[in-house]
Amino acid sequence: MTRICVLILSGACFAAVAFCADGDQALLNQAKQVLGPLPTAMVSEKNPITADKVGLGKMLFYENRISADGTVSCARCHPISLYAADGLRTSIGDSCKAVPRNAPTIFNAASQVGEHWTGSRADVEDQAKEAVTVRVISGMPSYDAVKKGLGKIAGYGPLFEKAFPGDKDPVNIDNYALAVGAFERTLVTPSAFDAFMNGNEAALTDPQKAGLKTFLETGCSGCHSSAYLGGQMYQKFGVAEPYWQYTKSKNIDEGRYEVTKNESDKYVFKVPVLRNVEMTCPYFNDGSVDSLHTAVWIMGKVQLGKNLTDQETGGIVVFLKTLTGEIPEDAIKVPILPPSR
Amino acid sequence: MTRICVLILSGACFAAVAFCADGDQALLNQAKQVLGPLPTAMVSEKNPITADKVGLGKMLFYENRISADGTVSCARCHPISLYAADGLRTSIGDSCKAVPRNAPTIFNAASQVGEHWTGSRADVEDQAKEAVTVRVISGMPSYDAVKKGLGKIAGYGPLFEKAFPGDKDPVNIDNYALAVGAFERTLVTPSAFDAFMNGNEAALTDPQKAGLKTFLETGCSGCHSSAYLGGQMYQKFGVAEPYWQYTKSKNIDEGRYEVTKNESDKYVFKVPVLRNVEMTCPYFNDGSVDSLHTAVWIMGKVQLGKNLTDQETGGIVVFLKTLTGEIPEDAIKVPILPPSR
């Protein structure tokens, strides 16, 4: 290890010794206790990934015609071009209805404790199924209307048959959800951080490694854990102080209380995945903060009760940018949908 | 020629002799008088195509943040997944405002006599420029607001600089329009028909050739001419009979009269491009007809005063499907947009 470091960095290594040789290994070990590299896909026993399901799911992900006003597809609030978020504070759904929260990216999103900011959906399949009929998202009047709508686009029949062999009546809402879910389960975006976690010490620069160390030691990884750096637990937003004192939120969102009606779930949200956070501003449940630097500082303040210095905050941001990953080649390509006739 | 035909079709050739050998050549010559194969791009002296402009233009084509409500990009009404139309009867723009007409595909659209159904836009650059501020499309309050909006997305600055070298203040609405226009000028979709027009007689089947012959001899190509099979002239919709007697249109659209206020332009529309018509239903200016077969029959009735038989109509449809082309490899790929901060 030392030898490689010396070869690459020459004398400079000995001056900035913190992340050479043993320092790197120690940081890697420290990181491995709570974080990890991404898997190649987010598998589920309930919904095994097959090429036919993924292919169909990608088409349905882009399908705007299965919405009440004909303009809403999954891709509307999760456009691949914006790392599967939409850049808005809060999204706008069918017939211009206001979605109450910021659209989280659906990259690296299928291994969470629940979906949505409040965990109101069990998994990506549940989210896909319910979003189609939710009034403020796709607004279809019923599951049956979805089935009928899909049935009108003749080209889908053979694709559902192929993706769900043996199913006598495969064009239905449950298979719709399984197909979209299977596609989403392939959307992992490995980054420089994963190369580091897989043992390539040169994959991160010294400032990035320093940022990771700050991220770990400040306490961020206490909640933003796992390969996804989030998505594994619910947590009160505002442990130390009310969040809205810093976010300047226009409305106070009671979070998971909306789902459980438990007093203890007031202001509780799912800890969001930090993968690609550089690319998915604005931040927080209501998209109230534009700057990643500000968002990190607020997190320190209201979650950890710490007034992070500019250097600490900046260091964490430098690390977070190493989570910007590569979008799977197939997901970059738009599917061609069957015509309506 | 005869020898090749015999080799491929064996004895059958002599039975169905119409499109072998001399028949093919005669049909090709007949077609070449009014139609043609697609060029590799739709060039313009005013807006030379460069890779940097096209790359930027593709990004701007997907840019939803430059719209009043943040949901409208060019790709919303012209999604690549639906052959750059949107599958709706009439489109829905910013803040759910109703666009008055059906969204025409922007594939093979940049060499027309004018843009929009009424020719209200001079060319694709003019269309791109005006669409951003039109209330019912992107709804931005002014050109200046577009400039400011683009300016807020820091990643665009260097891309405009690169695409418009020497321009001291390149982030502006005119360059926006030139970039989007340059991208659209690359969107040609060559098909089996082009292979035939380039001399490969085997590229079309006998029924397809018969359909082409019917298309030419019935009179369709009188208006649907050029390599684009349309887009070269304005024509009254309903030469023989009022169109709305057959389309069941809910509103009577006065067409180009809206632009010119000339009485002679009442019910006049630009003859639409027929490339990829199989993939871009519903049909006509108001999307009032779902079936291509019905649309072709109506055209015969109201434009040519002919009551086409089912066989004639079906033959033309078989030919029209040979115009379904291949989408350029680069256009299939979604661009990654710079984040907002």
Short mmCIF file of all heavy atoms in Angstrom, two decimals, chain B residues 224-283:
data_model
loop_
_atom_site.label_atom_id
_atom_site.label_comp_id
_atom_site.label_asym_id
_atom_site.label_seq_id
_atom_site.Cartn_x
_atom_site.Cartn_y
_atom_site.Cartn_z
N HIS B 224 -48.98 15.68 -50.59
CA HIS B 224 -47.98 15.04 -49.71
C HIS B 224 -46.75 14.69 -50.54
O HIS B 224 -46.49 13.52 -50.82
CB HIS B 224 -48.58 13.81 -49.03
CG HIS B 224 -49.63 14.16 -48.01
ND1 HIS B 224 -49.31 14.64 -46.76
CD2 HIS B 224 -50.99 14.11 -48.07
CE1 HIS B 224 -50.43 14.86 -46.07
NE2 HIS B 224 -51.46 14.56 -46.85
N SER B 225 -45.99 15.71 -50.90
CA SER B 225 -44.87 15.54 -51.81
C SER B 225 -43.54 15.74 -51.09
O SER B 225 -43.51 16.00 -49.89
CB SER B 225 -45.00 16.56 -52.95
OG SER B 225 -45.03 17.87 -52.39
N SER B 226 -42.48 15.59 -51.82
CA SER B 226 -41.10 15.77 -51.36
C SER B 226 -40.61 14.57 -50.56
O SER B 226 -41.35 13.61 -50.34
CB SER B 226 -40.94 17.05 -50.52
OG SER B 226 -41.23 16.80 -49.15
N ALA B 227 -39.38 14.65 -50.08
CA ALA B 227 -38.81 13.58 -49.26
C ALA B 227 -39.59 13.41 -47.97
O ALA B 227 -39.51 12.37 -47.31
CB ALA B 227 -37.36 13.90 -48.94
N TYR B 228 -40.33 14.45 -47.59
CA TYR B 228 -41.04 14.42 -46.30
C TYR B 228 -42.49 13.98 -46.44
O TYR B 228 -43.18 13.81 -45.47
CB TYR B 228 -40.94 15.80 -45.64
CG TYR B 228 -39.50 16.26 -45.56
CD1 TYR B 228 -38.94 17.09 -46.54
CD2 TYR B 228 -38.68 15.77 -44.55
CE1 TYR B 228 -37.60 17.44 -46.49
CE2 TYR B 228 -37.34 16.12 -44.50
CZ TYR B 228 -36.81 16.95 -45.48
OH TYR B 228 -35.48 17.29 -45.44
N LEU B 229 -42.94 13.82 -47.69
CA LEU B 229 -44.35 13.51 -47.97
C LEU B 229 -45.26 14.50 -47.25
O LEU B 229 -46.20 14.12 -46.54
CB LEU B 229 -44.66 12.05 -47.60
CG LEU B 229 -43.91 11.02 -48.48
CD1 LEU B 229 -42.60 10.63 -47.83
CD2 LEU B 229 -44.78 9.82 -48.77
N GLY B 230 -44.97 15.76 -47.45
CA GLY B 230 -45.78 16.82 -46.85
C GLY B 230 -44.91 17.98 -46.42
O GLY B 230 -43.69 17.99 -46.61
N GLY B 231 -45.57 19.00 -45.88
CA GLY B 231 -44.83 20.13 -45.32
C GLY B 231 -44.41 21.17 -46.35
O GLY B 231 -43.74 22.14 -46.00
N GLN B 232 -44.81 20.99 -47.61
CA GLN B 232 -44.31 21.88 -48.65
C GLN B 232 -45.33 22.92 -49.11
O GLN B 232 -45.02 23.78 -49.93
CB GLN B 232 -43.83 21.07 -49.87
CG GLN B 232 -42.84 19.96 -49.53
CD GLN B 232 -41.65 20.46 -48.70
OE1 GLN B 232 -40.95 21.38 -49.10
NE2 GLN B 232 -41.45 19.86 -47.52
N MET B 233 -46.55 22.82 -48.64
CA MET B 233 -47.59 23.76 -49.12
C MET B 233 -48.72 23.84 -48.11
O MET B 233 -48.83 23.01 -47.19
CB MET B 233 -48.14 23.28 -50.46
CG MET B 233 -48.90 21.97 -50.36
SD MET B 233 -49.64 21.46 -51.93
CE MET B 233 -48.24 20.76 -52.78
N TYR B 234 -49.57 24.86 -48.29
CA TYR B 234 -50.80 24.97 -47.53
C TYR B 234 -51.94 24.49 -48.43
O TYR B 234 -51.86 24.62 -49.65
CB TYR B 234 -51.03 26.42 -47.10
CG TYR B 234 -49.92 26.92 -46.20
CD1 TYR B 234 -48.88 27.71 -46.71
CD2 TYR B 234 -49.90 26.58 -44.85
CE1 TYR B 234 -47.85 28.15 -45.90
CE2 TYR B 234 -48.86 27.02 -44.03
CZ TYR B 234 -47.85 27.80 -44.56
OH TYR B 234 -46.83 28.21 -43.75
N GLN B 235 -52.97 23.97 -47.81
CA GLN B 235 -54.08 23.44 -48.59
C GLN B 235 -55.34 23.51 -47.76
O GLN B 235 -55.28 23.34 -46.53
CB GLN B 235 -53.75 21.99 -48.98
CG GLN B 235 -54.71 21.33 -49.93
CD GLN B 235 -54.87 22.08 -51.25
OE1 GLN B 235 -55.82 22.88 -51.40
NE2 GLN B 235 -53.96 21.88 -52.19
N LYS B 236 -56.43 23.79 -48.40
CA LYS B 236 -57.71 23.78 -47.68
C LYS B 236 -58.01 22.36 -47.21
O LYS B 236 -57.88 21.41 -47.99
CB LYS B 236 -58.82 24.29 -48.60
CG LYS B 236 -60.15 24.42 -47.88
CD LYS B 236 -61.20 25.05 -48.78
CE LYS B 236 -62.53 25.10 -48.03
NZ LYS B 236 -63.58 25.66 -48.89
N PHE B 237 -58.39 22.22 -45.96
CA PHE B 237 -58.83 20.91 -45.45
C PHE B 237 -60.33 20.85 -45.72
O PHE B 237 -61.12 21.52 -45.04
CB PHE B 237 -58.51 20.80 -43.97
CG PHE B 237 -58.80 19.45 -43.34
CD1 PHE B 237 -58.98 18.31 -44.12
CD2 PHE B 237 -58.85 19.31 -41.95
CE1 PHE B 237 -59.22 17.07 -43.54
CE2 PHE B 237 -59.10 18.08 -41.36
CZ PHE B 237 -59.29 16.96 -42.16
N GLY B 238 -60.66 20.06 -46.75
CA GLY B 238 -62.04 20.02 -47.18
C GLY B 238 -62.21 20.70 -48.53
O GLY B 238 -63.01 21.63 -48.67
N VAL B 239 -61.46 20.25 -49.53
CA VAL B 239 -61.58 20.81 -50.88
C VAL B 239 -62.92 20.39 -51.47
O VAL B 239 -63.66 21.20 -52.04
CB VAL B 239 -60.41 20.31 -51.78
CG1 VAL B 239 -60.62 20.72 -53.23
CG2 VAL B 239 -59.07 20.80 -51.24
N ALA B 240 -63.25 19.12 -51.30
CA ALA B 240 -64.48 18.59 -51.89
C ALA B 240 -65.69 18.77 -50.98
O ALA B 240 -66.79 19.07 -51.44
CB ALA B 240 -64.28 17.11 -52.23
N GLU B 241 -65.47 18.58 -49.69
CA GLU B 241 -66.56 18.67 -48.71
C GLU B 241 -65.98 19.19 -47.40
O GLU B 241 -64.81 18.96 -47.11
CB GLU B 241 -67.16 17.29 -48.44
CG GLU B 241 -67.93 16.69 -49.59
CD GLU B 241 -68.52 15.33 -49.20
OE1 GLU B 241 -69.52 15.33 -48.44
OE2 GLU B 241 -67.98 14.31 -49.61
N PRO B 242 -66.81 19.83 -46.56
CA PRO B 242 -66.28 20.31 -45.27
C PRO B 242 -65.72 19.14 -44.45
O PRO B 242 -66.37 18.11 -44.32
CB PRO B 242 -67.52 20.91 -44.59
CG PRO B 242 -68.45 21.25 -45.70
CD PRO B 242 -68.22 20.20 -46.75
N TYR B 243 -64.53 19.36 -43.90
CA TYR B 243 -63.87 18.25 -43.19
C TYR B 243 -64.64 17.77 -41.98
O TYR B 243 -64.68 16.59 -41.66
CB TYR B 243 -62.43 18.64 -42.82
CG TYR B 243 -62.26 19.64 -41.68
CD1 TYR B 243 -62.26 19.21 -40.36
CD2 TYR B 243 -62.07 21.00 -41.93
CE1 TYR B 243 -62.09 20.12 -39.32
CE2 TYR B 243 -61.90 21.91 -40.90
CZ TYR B 243 -61.91 21.47 -39.60
OH TYR B 243 -61.74 22.34 -38.57
N TRP B 244 -65.30 18.71 -41.29
CA TRP B 244 -65.93 18.36 -40.02
C TRP B 244 -67.14 17.44 -40.17
O TRP B 244 -67.61 16.89 -39.19
CB TRP B 244 -66.28 19.63 -39.25
CG TRP B 244 -67.10 20.61 -40.03
CD1 TRP B 244 -68.45 20.63 -40.16
CD2 TRP B 244 -66.60 21.71 -40.79
NE1 TRP B 244 -68.84 21.68 -40.96
CE2 TRP B 244 -67.72 22.37 -41.35
CE3 TRP B 244 -65.32 22.22 -41.05
CZ2 TRP B 244 -67.60 23.49 -42.17
CZ3 TRP B 244 -65.20 23.35 -41.86
CH2 TRP B 244 -66.33 23.97 -42.41
N GLN B 245 -67.60 17.28 -41.41
CA GLN B 245 -68.70 16.32 -41.63
C GLN B 245 -68.21 14.89 -41.44
O GLN B 245 -69.00 13.97 -41.24
CB GLN B 245 -69.28 16.49 -43.03
CG GLN B 245 -70.05 17.79 -43.18
CD GLN B 245 -70.76 17.88 -44.51
OE1 GLN B 245 -70.78 16.92 -45.28
NE2 GLN B 245 -71.35 19.03 -44.79
N TYR B 246 -66.91 14.70 -41.53
CA TYR B 246 -66.36 13.34 -41.44
C TYR B 246 -65.50 13.13 -40.20
O TYR B 246 -65.43 12.04 -39.66
CB TYR B 246 -65.55 13.01 -42.71
CG TYR B 246 -66.44 13.01 -43.92
CD1 TYR B 246 -66.65 14.15 -44.68
CD2 TYR B 246 -67.11 11.84 -44.28
CE1 TYR B 246 -67.51 14.16 -45.76
CE2 TYR B 246 -67.97 11.82 -45.37
CZ TYR B 246 -68.16 12.98 -46.11
OH TYR B 246 -69.01 12.97 -47.18
N THR B 247 -64.83 14.19 -39.76
CA THR B 247 -63.93 14.01 -38.63
C THR B 247 -64.65 14.03 -37.29
O THR B 247 -64.10 13.65 -36.28
CB THR B 247 -62.87 15.14 -38.59
OG1 THR B 247 -63.56 16.40 -38.52
CG2 THR B 247 -61.98 15.11 -39.81
N LYS B 248 -65.90 14.51 -37.30
CA LYS B 248 -66.65 14.68 -36.04
C LYS B 248 -65.91 15.64 -35.10
O LYS B 248 -65.91 15.46 -33.88
CB LYS B 248 -66.89 13.34 -35.32
CG LYS B 248 -67.27 12.19 -36.23
CD LYS B 248 -68.78 12.08 -36.38
CE LYS B 248 -69.19 10.77 -37.05
NZ LYS B 248 -69.78 10.97 -38.37
N SER B 249 -65.26 16.62 -35.67
CA SER B 249 -64.55 17.61 -34.86
C SER B 249 -65.53 18.35 -33.97
O SER B 249 -66.64 18.69 -34.40
CB SER B 249 -63.85 18.63 -35.78
OG SER B 249 -62.87 17.98 -36.55
N LYS B 250 -65.10 18.59 -32.75
CA LYS B 250 -65.98 19.30 -31.81
C LYS B 250 -66.03 20.79 -32.12
O LYS B 250 -67.04 21.44 -31.94
CB LYS B 250 -65.49 19.07 -30.38
CG LYS B 250 -65.86 17.68 -29.88
CD LYS B 250 -65.38 17.45 -28.47
CE LYS B 250 -65.59 16.00 -28.07
NZ LYS B 250 -64.83 15.62 -26.90
N ASN B 251 -64.90 21.33 -32.55
CA ASN B 251 -64.85 22.74 -32.92
C ASN B 251 -64.38 22.86 -34.36
O ASN B 251 -63.54 22.07 -34.80
CB ASN B 251 -63.86 23.50 -32.02
CG ASN B 251 -64.25 23.39 -30.56
OD1 ASN B 251 -65.34 23.76 -30.16
ND2 ASN B 251 -63.34 22.82 -29.77
N ILE B 252 -64.89 23.84 -35.04
CA ILE B 252 -64.43 24.06 -36.42
C ILE B 252 -63.25 25.03 -36.38
O ILE B 252 -63.38 26.16 -35.92
CB ILE B 252 -65.58 24.58 -37.30
CG1 ILE B 252 -66.64 23.47 -37.42
CG2 ILE B 252 -65.06 24.98 -38.68
CD1 ILE B 252 -67.92 23.90 -38.08
N ASP B 253 -62.13 24.55 -36.85
CA ASP B 253 -60.88 25.31 -36.79
C ASP B 253 -60.72 26.04 -38.12
O ASP B 253 -60.74 25.42 -39.18
CB ASP B 253 -59.73 24.31 -36.55
CG ASP B 253 -58.38 24.98 -36.35
OD1 ASP B 253 -58.21 26.15 -36.76
OD2 ASP B 253 -57.48 24.31 -35.82
N GLU B 254 -60.56 27.35 -38.07
CA GLU B 254 -60.46 28.12 -39.32
C GLU B 254 -59.04 28.13 -39.88
O GLU B 254 -58.78 28.75 -40.91
CB GLU B 254 -60.97 29.55 -39.09
CG GLU B 254 -62.48 29.55 -38.79
CD GLU B 254 -63.09 30.93 -38.78
OE1 GLU B 254 -62.40 31.89 -38.33
OE2 GLU B 254 -64.24 31.07 -39.23
N GLY B 255 -58.12 27.44 -39.21
CA GLY B 255 -56.80 27.22 -39.77
C GLY B 255 -56.00 28.48 -39.99
O GLY B 255 -55.95 29.37 -39.14
N ARG B 256 -55.39 28.57 -41.17
CA ARG B 256 -54.44 29.63 -41.48
C ARG B 256 -55.08 31.03 -41.50
O ARG B 256 -54.37 32.04 -41.41
CB ARG B 256 -53.75 29.31 -42.81
CG ARG B 256 -52.51 30.12 -43.07
CD ARG B 256 -51.66 29.51 -44.16
NE ARG B 256 -50.76 30.51 -44.74
CZ ARG B 256 -49.70 31.02 -44.15
NH1 ARG B 256 -49.35 30.64 -42.94
NH2 ARG B 256 -48.95 31.93 -44.75
N TYR B 257 -56.39 31.07 -41.61
CA TYR B 257 -57.12 32.34 -41.53
C TYR B 257 -56.76 33.08 -40.24
O TYR B 257 -56.66 34.31 -40.22
CB TYR B 257 -58.63 32.07 -41.59
CG TYR B 257 -59.49 33.29 -41.38
CD1 TYR B 257 -59.67 34.24 -42.40
CD2 TYR B 257 -60.15 33.50 -40.16
CE1 TYR B 257 -60.46 35.36 -42.19
CE2 TYR B 257 -60.95 34.61 -39.96
CZ TYR B 257 -61.09 35.55 -40.97
OH TYR B 257 -61.88 36.66 -40.77
N GLU B 258 -56.52 32.31 -39.20
CA GLU B 258 -56.13 32.88 -37.90
C GLU B 258 -54.83 33.69 -38.02
O GLU B 258 -54.63 34.67 -37.31
CB GLU B 258 -55.93 31.71 -36.91
CG GLU B 258 -55.59 32.06 -35.50
CD GLU B 258 -55.34 30.79 -34.67
OE1 GLU B 258 -56.31 30.08 -34.33
OE2 GLU B 258 -54.15 30.49 -34.38
N VAL B 259 -53.96 33.28 -38.93
CA VAL B 259 -52.67 33.95 -39.11
C VAL B 259 -52.76 35.11 -40.08
O VAL B 259 -52.26 36.20 -39.83
CB VAL B 259 -51.60 32.94 -39.63
CG1 VAL B 259 -50.23 33.61 -39.80
CG2 VAL B 259 -51.50 31.73 -38.71
N THR B 260 -53.43 34.88 -41.22
CA THR B 260 -53.39 35.88 -42.30
C THR B 260 -54.62 36.78 -42.35
O THR B 260 -54.57 37.86 -42.95
CB THR B 260 -53.30 35.18 -43.68
OG1 THR B 260 -54.52 34.44 -43.90
CG2 THR B 260 -52.10 34.23 -43.74
N LYS B 261 -55.73 36.31 -41.79
CA LYS B 261 -57.03 37.00 -41.87
C LYS B 261 -57.52 37.17 -43.31
O LYS B 261 -58.40 37.98 -43.61
CB LYS B 261 -56.98 38.39 -41.18
CG LYS B 261 -56.61 38.32 -39.70
CD LYS B 261 -57.63 37.60 -38.86
CE LYS B 261 -57.13 37.41 -37.43
NZ LYS B 261 -57.91 36.40 -36.69
N ASN B 262 -56.93 36.39 -44.23
CA ASN B 262 -57.44 36.34 -45.60
C ASN B 262 -58.58 35.33 -45.68
O ASN B 262 -58.41 34.18 -45.25
CB ASN B 262 -56.35 35.89 -46.59
CG ASN B 262 -55.26 36.92 -46.74
OD1 ASN B 262 -55.48 38.11 -46.49
ND2 ASN B 262 -54.07 36.46 -47.11
N GLU B 263 -59.68 35.76 -46.26
CA GLU B 263 -60.84 34.87 -46.38
C GLU B 263 -60.46 33.57 -47.08
O GLU B 263 -60.94 32.49 -46.72
CB GLU B 263 -61.95 35.61 -47.17
CG GLU B 263 -63.35 35.07 -46.96
CD GLU B 263 -63.85 35.18 -45.51
OE1 GLU B 263 -63.42 36.11 -44.77
OE2 GLU B 263 -64.66 34.31 -45.13
N SER B 264 -59.55 33.68 -48.04
CA SER B 264 -59.14 32.49 -48.81
C SER B 264 -58.34 31.50 -47.98
O SER B 264 -58.09 30.38 -48.41
CB SER B 264 -58.31 32.92 -50.03
OG SER B 264 -57.13 33.58 -49.58
N ASP B 265 -57.93 31.89 -46.79
CA ASP B 265 -57.17 30.98 -45.93
C ASP B 265 -58.05 30.28 -44.90
O ASP B 265 -57.54 29.59 -44.01
CB ASP B 265 -56.03 31.73 -45.23
CG ASP B 265 -54.83 31.91 -46.14
OD1 ASP B 265 -54.66 31.08 -47.06
OD2 ASP B 265 -54.06 32.87 -45.93
N LYS B 266 -59.36 30.44 -45.04
CA LYS B 266 -60.26 29.75 -44.09
C LYS B 266 -60.17 28.24 -44.31
O LYS B 266 -60.27 27.77 -45.45
CB LYS B 266 -61.69 30.24 -44.26
CG LYS B 266 -61.99 31.41 -43.34
CD LYS B 266 -63.47 31.65 -43.13
CE LYS B 266 -63.68 32.77 -42.09
NZ LYS B 266 -65.02 33.34 -42.14
N TYR B 267 -59.98 27.52 -43.23
CA TYR B 267 -59.86 26.06 -43.23
C TYR B 267 -58.61 25.57 -43.97
O TYR B 267 -58.53 24.41 -44.37
CB TYR B 267 -61.14 25.40 -43.80
CG TYR B 267 -62.40 26.10 -43.35
CD1 TYR B 267 -63.30 26.63 -44.28
CD2 TYR B 267 -62.66 26.28 -41.99
CE1 TYR B 267 -64.44 27.32 -43.86
CE2 TYR B 267 -63.79 26.97 -41.56
CZ TYR B 267 -64.68 27.48 -42.50
OH TYR B 267 -65.79 28.16 -42.09
N VAL B 268 -57.68 26.47 -44.16
CA VAL B 268 -56.41 26.09 -44.80
C VAL B 268 -55.39 25.72 -43.73
O VAL B 268 -55.26 26.41 -42.72
CB VAL B 268 -55.89 27.26 -45.68
CG1 VAL B 268 -54.42 27.04 -46.08
CG2 VAL B 268 -56.77 27.41 -46.92
N PHE B 269 -54.71 24.60 -43.96
CA PHE B 269 -53.66 24.13 -43.03
C PHE B 269 -52.43 23.75 -43.84
O PHE B 269 -52.51 23.50 -45.05
CB PHE B 269 -54.15 22.89 -42.27
CG PHE B 269 -55.32 23.16 -41.36
CD1 PHE B 269 -56.63 23.09 -41.84
CD2 PHE B 269 -55.11 23.50 -40.03
CE1 PHE B 269 -57.71 23.35 -41.00
CE2 PHE B 269 -56.20 23.76 -39.18
CZ PHE B 269 -57.49 23.69 -39.68
N LYS B 270 -51.32 23.68 -43.17
CA LYS B 270 -50.13 23.13 -43.80
C LYS B 270 -50.37 21.65 -44.01
O LYS B 270 -50.92 20.97 -43.13
CB LYS B 270 -48.92 23.35 -42.90
CG LYS B 270 -47.60 23.00 -43.55
CD LYS B 270 -46.49 23.07 -42.54
CE LYS B 270 -46.76 22.04 -41.46
NZ LYS B 270 -45.93 22.22 -40.28
N VAL B 271 -50.01 21.16 -45.18
CA VAL B 271 -50.12 19.72 -45.44
C VAL B 271 -49.11 19.00 -44.55
O VAL B 271 -47.91 19.25 -44.65
CB VAL B 271 -49.80 19.43 -46.93
CG1 VAL B 271 -49.78 17.93 -47.19
CG2 VAL B 271 -50.79 20.14 -47.84
N PRO B 272 -49.56 18.14 -43.63
CA PRO B 272 -48.59 17.57 -42.69
C PRO B 272 -47.66 16.53 -43.32
O PRO B 272 -48.02 15.87 -44.29
CB PRO B 272 -49.47 16.93 -41.62
CG PRO B 272 -50.78 16.70 -42.28
CD PRO B 272 -50.94 17.74 -43.34
N VAL B 273 -46.49 16.45 -42.76
CA VAL B 273 -45.49 15.43 -43.12
C VAL B 273 -46.06 14.06 -42.76
O VAL B 273 -46.61 13.89 -41.67
CB VAL B 273 -44.18 15.73 -42.33
CG1 VAL B 273 -43.24 14.54 -42.33
CG2 VAL B 273 -43.50 16.99 -42.88
N LEU B 274 -45.93 13.10 -43.66
CA LEU B 274 -46.48 11.76 -43.37
C LEU B 274 -45.43 10.77 -42.84
O LEU B 274 -45.77 9.62 -42.54
CB LEU B 274 -47.14 11.18 -44.63
CG LEU B 274 -48.41 11.89 -45.08
CD1 LEU B 274 -49.00 11.20 -46.30
CD2 LEU B 274 -49.45 11.93 -43.96
N ARG B 275 -44.21 11.21 -42.71
CA ARG B 275 -43.18 10.33 -42.13
C ARG B 275 -43.63 9.89 -40.74
O ARG B 275 -44.09 10.73 -39.94
CB ARG B 275 -41.85 11.10 -42.03
CG ARG B 275 -41.25 11.41 -43.40
CD ARG B 275 -40.38 10.27 -43.84
NE ARG B 275 -39.85 10.48 -45.19
CZ ARG B 275 -39.07 9.57 -45.79
NH1 ARG B 275 -38.75 8.44 -45.18
NH2 ARG B 275 -38.63 9.79 -47.01
N ASN B 276 -43.53 8.60 -40.46
CA ASN B 276 -43.87 8.01 -39.15
C ASN B 276 -45.34 8.18 -38.77
O ASN B 276 -45.69 8.08 -37.59
CB ASN B 276 -43.00 8.60 -38.03
CG ASN B 276 -41.53 8.44 -38.32
OD1 ASN B 276 -41.08 7.33 -38.57
ND2 ASN B 276 -40.78 9.53 -38.31
N VAL B 277 -46.20 8.38 -39.77
CA VAL B 277 -47.61 8.63 -39.47
C VAL B 277 -48.24 7.44 -38.72
O VAL B 277 -49.16 7.61 -37.91
CB VAL B 277 -48.38 8.99 -40.77
CG1 VAL B 277 -48.49 7.79 -41.70
CG2 VAL B 277 -49.74 9.59 -40.45
N GLU B 278 -47.73 6.26 -38.97
CA GLU B 278 -48.22 5.06 -38.25
C GLU B 278 -48.09 5.22 -36.73
O GLU B 278 -48.90 4.67 -35.97
CB GLU B 278 -47.38 3.85 -38.70
CG GLU B 278 -47.67 2.58 -37.93
CD GLU B 278 -46.64 1.48 -38.19
OE1 GLU B 278 -45.58 1.76 -38.79
OE2 GLU B 278 -46.91 0.34 -37.78
N MET B 279 -47.07 5.96 -36.31
CA MET B 279 -46.74 6.02 -34.89
C MET B 279 -47.30 7.26 -34.19
O MET B 279 -47.08 7.45 -33.00
CB MET B 279 -45.21 6.02 -34.72
CG MET B 279 -44.52 4.85 -35.39
SD MET B 279 -45.07 3.23 -34.77
CE MET B 279 -44.19 3.16 -33.21
N THR B 280 -47.97 8.13 -34.92
CA THR B 280 -48.31 9.44 -34.34
C THR B 280 -49.81 9.74 -34.34
O THR B 280 -50.22 10.88 -34.55
CB THR B 280 -47.55 10.57 -35.07
OG1 THR B 280 -47.91 10.52 -36.46
CG2 THR B 280 -46.06 10.43 -34.92
N CYS B 281 -50.62 8.73 -34.11
CA CYS B 281 -52.05 9.00 -33.97
C CYS B 281 -52.27 9.73 -32.63
O CYS B 281 -51.41 9.64 -31.76
CB CYS B 281 -52.85 7.70 -34.03
SG CYS B 281 -52.67 6.69 -32.57
N PRO B 282 -53.36 10.42 -32.38
CA PRO B 282 -54.48 10.59 -33.30
C PRO B 282 -54.17 11.62 -34.41
O PRO B 282 -53.20 12.35 -34.32
CB PRO B 282 -55.60 11.06 -32.39
CG PRO B 282 -54.89 11.80 -31.30
CD PRO B 282 -53.61 11.07 -31.09
N TYR B 283 -55.08 11.66 -35.40
CA TYR B 283 -54.78 12.40 -36.62
C TYR B 283 -55.59 13.69 -36.79
O TYR B 283 -56.62 13.87 -36.18
CB TYR B 283 -55.00 11.47 -37.83
CG TYR B 283 -54.11 10.25 -37.71
CD1 TYR B 283 -54.65 9.00 -37.44
CD2 TYR B 283 -52.72 10.37 -37.80
CE1 TYR B 283 -53.83 7.89 -37.28
CE2 TYR B 283 -51.89 9.26 -37.64
CZ TYR B 283 -52.45 8.04 -37.38
OH TYR B 283 -51.64 6.95 -37.21
#
